Amino acid sequence: MSSSLETLYELIVEEFSCELSELTPETTLESLGIDSLAKMEMLFDLEDRLGLHFPEDNREIVTIQDVATFMDEVKLAQTQKEK
């Protein structure tokens, strides 16, 4: 499991009162009761926890894996930018 997925699972369990056993990469945010406002709050929490800045992006984020992929892309871009 990627560290992004692990971080995301931890946040979802803490913030949205979910059980770890119900989370998979394919789990949709909607099925966890995470609406568009909660999704934005989750991204802000991830920015704070990880020291990242998520650009405004029109991509469709539906699943936990979508969020983890977005996190990995932003981490990579910021790492390359720092070099």
Side-chain angles (χ1 to χ4, degrees):
M1 178 183 322
S2 78
S3 64
S4 293
L5 274 174
E6 290 174 5
T7 301
L8 194 50
Y9 286 171
E10 288 172 15
L11 178 107
I12 291 171
V13 167
E14 288 172 20
E15 299 296 323
F16 299 100
S17 302
C18 297
E19 295 294 326
L20 184 59
S21 61
E22 64 185 304
L23 304 179
T24 69
E26 296 79 26
T27 302
T28 65
L29 301 178
E30 182 179 350
S31 72
L32 299 172
I34 301 173
D35 61 14
S36 59
L37 179 59
K39 181 174 23 175
M40 293 305 299
E41 291 173 351
M42 179 178 63
L43 291 175
F44 290 139
D45 285 346
L46 288 167
E47 284 183 333
D48 291 342
R49 286 179 186 223
L50 304 174
L52 297 175
H53 173 69
F54 291 108
E56 289 191 32
D57 195 311
N58 291 329
R59 78 177 58 210
E60 190 164 339
I61 296 178
V62 176
T63 66
I64 292 175
Q65 183 62 58
D66 294 339
V67 179
T69 299
F70 190 34
M71 289 168 59
D72 289 338
E73 290 171 2
V74 170
K75 281 185 208 175
L76 180 61
Q78 289 182 2
T79 301
Q80 290 177 344
K81 191 176 184 180
E82 292 172 359
K83 290 183 179 182

